[in-house]
Amino acid sequence: MNSENHITLFELNRLVRDSIEISMPDEYWVEAEVAECREARGHCYLELIEKDEQTATPIAKASAKCWASKWAMVKPYFERTTGQRLVAGMKVLLKVYPQFHEAFGFSWIVTDIDPTYTLGDMARQRQAIIRQLKAEGVFDLQKELTLPLFCQRIAVISSETAAGYGDFCHQLSNNPYGFQFETHLFPAIMQGEGIEGSIINALMRIYKVNSEQCIVNSFDCVVIIRGGGATSDLSGFDTLALAEHVANFPIPIITGIGHERDECILDMVSHIRVKTPTAAAALLIEHLKGVLDAIEGAQERITRAAQQRLAAVGYQLTALEQRIPMLVERRMTNAFHQLQLLEERVKGMDPQLLLSRGYSITLHKGRVVRDPQSLQAGDEIETRLEKGRIHSIIRPPNPLEHL
């Protein structure tokens, strides 16, 4: 072969480079999914991918780079706007131009990223998760739970070294009412990679502990708190698996993830959402204060009702005390009148009164004789008159008396 008919690899790559620079001199806005994202020496290295919408099979792949000079401006703007870091699985709209290097090959060079496109995609993903949770009937399950009246045994999911966890415990311990709270930490990753799996694992440990405890010693609620940290680490709280575990958890969950932007899905499905760990502690303190106020209010009402009842009974006794002499006098007067009537009736039935009117009473053996046929010859009878008594003996009838 004639040496004049071949070229070196460098020369070939230079031809490719020149061809690309001549035929594609412009920048292009391209949408893709981030398959891998890493930073090194201030530069950002990306692996981009496009998947078939029906099968999710990759149909295009490419490498991309954002040099440090651009990345220093693009990164903070993207994170400030979206509230999240650029991570794998995220849909992005990139402004790129092609670059072919003789030694390193082809790559797309990123000059800008449109965060509004990613926001829109994130919103679509969140809405899809919310729709699925509602379709499963679990979106509002936590809202149907009730914090126990004496909510004092708290399971805490947080990073052990997080300042927010310390603030939470300090505020509970130093509450102005002297309430006693018992907290148990279940450590979890609260930023960066692994948020979803770590929190789910903590929830499973809490559930196991509660299942092994008696009702008296079980946890009253779970508090998921995250103090500090970048808002760009919040994507881990917007996952379907985590939302399903929280929504189905059998005891109330309070979230205090520490961000001001719109609620994440974890906030939406929790029992109560507050902004910060200290706000979560304040919520628990005020809840117990409300119970104390209700108890004291009930005590005051019971005391007041008892006092009112005693006062009413005292008034009734006083009135009765005043009425008793009159009632006794009236009863005695009525009784005396009844005795007088009875006395008159007794007098009217006195046999002596009948005798004074000319009547007589005949007795036989002390009993009044009402029928003469009851007497026989030889019976002795007594006749009582007004002024004396006559004793007689019944004689047999004389037949001659009828002649």
Side-chain angles (χ1 to χ4, degrees), residues 142-143 146-152 154 167-168 171-172 175-177 179 181 220-225 252-257 267 270-293:
Q142 273 280 317
K143 301 296 189 296
T146 303
L147 279 178
L149 291 179
F150 300 97
C151 189
Q152 294 171 279
I154 318 299
D167 295 340
F168 174 81
Q171 187 156 341
L172 284 184
N175 69 84
Y177 311 109
F179 297 147
F181 292 92
D220 299 316
C221 75
V222 177
V223 174
I224 302 177
I225 52 177
I253 293 179
I254 300 170
T255 57
I257 300 175
D267 289 328
S270 65
H271 179 67
I272 299 175
R273 175 249 179 167
V274 293
K275 291 181 179 180
T276 62
T278 53
L283 171 71
L284 293 170
I285 294 169
E286 288 306 311
H287 173 76
L288 205 55
K289 179 60 167 58
V291 174
L292 176 62
D293 290 343

Side-chain angles (χ1 to χ4, degrees), residues 242-384:
L242 179 57
E244 288 177 329
H245 277 78
V246 169
N248 285 286
F249 207 69
I251 62 176
I253 293 179
I254 300 170
T255 57
I257 300 175
H259 60 97
E260 299 292 334
R261 71 179 183 87
D262 293 339
E263 292 178 308
C264 64
I265 294 177
L266 179 63
D267 289 328
M268 294 179 185
V269 298
S270 65
H271 179 67
I272 299 175
R273 175 249 179 167
V274 293
K275 291 181 179 180
T276 62
T278 53
L283 171 71
L284 293 170
I285 294 169
E286 288 306 311
H287 173 76
L288 205 55
K289 179 60 167 58
V291 174
L292 176 62
D293 290 343
I295 292 173
E296 291 179 344
Q299 182 179 10
E300 291 178 2
R301 291 193 297 273
I302 292 172
T303 302
R304 188 164 51 250
Q307 291 174 343
Q308 292 173 349
R309 182 60 178 167
L310 288 173
V313 171
Y315 174 78
Q316 292 174 350
L317 290 174
T318 302
L320 184 60
E321 183 180 9
Q322 295 174 350
R323 291 176 57 193
I324 283 178
M326 294 185 294
L327 292 173
V328 171
E329 183 178 355
R330 185 179 303 170
R331 293 285 296 273
M332 292 183 66
T333 300
N334 290 338
F336 181 72
H337 180 65
Q338 294 292 330
L339 286 173
Q340 286 182 324
L341 293 177
L342 185 59
E343 184 180 1
E344 291 298 324
R345 292 179 60 188
V346 170
K347 286 182 179 179
M349 298 175 65
D350 189 356
Q352 192 63 37
L353 181 60
L354 296 174
L355 296 177
S356 66
R357 295 176 181 172
Y359 293 96
S360 65
I361 301 174
T362 301
L363 303 173
H364 175 247
K365 295 182 180 181
R367 293 184 178 182
V368 176
V369 177
R370 302 180 183 277
D371 185 359
Q373 298 298 324
S374 64
L375 299 175
Q376 298 178 358
D379 288 342
E380 182 178 352
I381 62 174
E382 177 185 353
T383 302
R384 292 184 182 180

Side-chain angles (χ1 to χ4, degrees), residues 16-87:
V16 173
R17 174 180 177 177
D18 292 342
S19 297
I20 290 175
E21 289 179 352
I22 294 171
S23 60
M24 301 180 68
D26 301 322
E27 294 184 325
Y28 306 91
W29 283 103
V30 60
E31 58 182 44
E33 178 181 327
V34 177
E36 183 181 337
C37 178
R38 60 186 179 85
E39 294 183 54
R41 298 185 298 277
H43 309 300
C44 179
Y45 297 90
L46 301 169
E47 291 296 327
L48 305 178
I49 193 171
E50 181 179 354
K51 298 177 182 178
D52 182 272
E53 294 183 358
Q54 302 298 324
T55 64
T57 302
I59 58 176
K61 293 182 179 181
S63 297
K65 303 180 182 70
C66 187
W67 303 123
S69 58
K70 285 289 184 181
W71 185 239
M73 295 182 292
V74 169
K75 176 183 177 181
Y77 176 65
F78 180 85
E79 293 182 354
R80 185 170 59 251
T81 304
T82 63
Q84 299 197 28
R85 292 186 304 172
L86 193 63
V87 294

